[in-house]
Amino acid sequence: LNVAAFPQAEFVSTSIRRTGPTTGEITGNLTFMGQTRPITVQAQLVGIGHSMRGGVTMGFEGTAKFKRSDFGFTVMLPDIGDEAELILDLAFDQQS
């Protein structure tokens, strides 16, 4: 990875769609190696509880697969696979 030129990767959600009682799809834009492409994260609710601040906390995990070559990252292809996986672990706290 060329972190000197591209020190940050970023995912910005554009929509969320519920697909089941505890599952959903988070669609958004992934910026990686200076290029932005749409991807969809398959998300699942991990749990709901009470935070130490007295509000509600919800935890989610999700994954999305993409081809690194779609973002111009072709170093060592095909010796190293083209498919990459984005793994997200998210917690949301309700503010009281």
Side-chain angles (χ1 to χ4, degrees):
L1 299 176
N2 185 354
V3 295
F6 309 107
Q8 184 173 320
E10 180 178 60
F11 174 75
V12 177
S13 64
T14 56
S15 68
I16 298 173
R17 183 175 74 89
R18 191 175 194 170
T19 58
T22 61
T23 59
E25 291 181 342
I26 305 168
T27 301
N29 295 309
L30 175 65
T31 301
F32 177 68
M33 300 293 291
Q35 297 189 36
T36 302
R37 303 275 186 269
I39 65 167
T40 299
V41 176
Q42 302 301 316
Q44 180 158 349
L45 176 68
V46 176
I48 301 173
H50 295 283
S51 71
M52 292 188 292
R53 296 180 184 163
V56 176
T57 297
M58 299 176 74
F60 294 87
E61 61 186 15
T63 60
K65 293 182 180 179
F66 63 93
K67 289 186 176 184
R68 61 189 182 98
S69 61
D70 289 346
F71 293 85
F73 188 41
T74 58
V75 174
M76 297 191 66
L77 282 177
D79 298 325
I80 296 177
D82 194 19
E83 187 174 83
E85 185 174 33
L86 175 66
I87 301 171
L88 300 173
D89 292 308
L90 308 166
F92 297 96
D93 291 331
Q94 177 187 31
Q95 300 296 317
S96 49

